Amino acid sequence: MAGAFDLPGEVALVTGAARGIGADIAGTLAAAGATVVGTATSAEGAAAITARLQAAGHRGRGVVLDVSREADIAAVHKDVEGTEGAVTILVNNAG
């Protein structure tokens, strides 16, 4: 799918991006030029997301998020908007 669309300037937040479909979606969006913030339920998962994006030469990072906690969601959203900018793409994959 890489090359099918261009997303430079977009900021994507992908929940459940540590493995499986979420990891593939995060990688595809990043390859299309989006800055991707992927979430994981653990620090290890978040670090793996960051490492995977950096190894591929993409912009983005992993963060820890428990999607069942509203306060955590608000904190991550605030962090992403303060660091990467307004979220323009949301992929709700966790769960």
Side-chain angles (χ1 to χ4, degrees), residues 47-77:
I49 294 166
T50 300
R52 193 168 45 250
L53 290 169
Q54 288 178 351
H58 300 312
R59 288 183 310 277
R61 62 188 171 112
V63 297
V64 176
L65 173 64
D66 179 345
V67 297
S68 70
R69 297 176 48 102
E70 192 171 332
D72 290 359
I73 295 167
V76 166
H77 184 250

Side-chain angles (χ1 to χ4, degrees), residues 11 37 61 74-87:
V11 176
V37 178
R61 62 188 171 112
V76 166
H77 184 250
K78 182 177 180 179
D79 173 50
V80 171
E81 289 212 331
T83 305
E84 283 81 18
V87 174

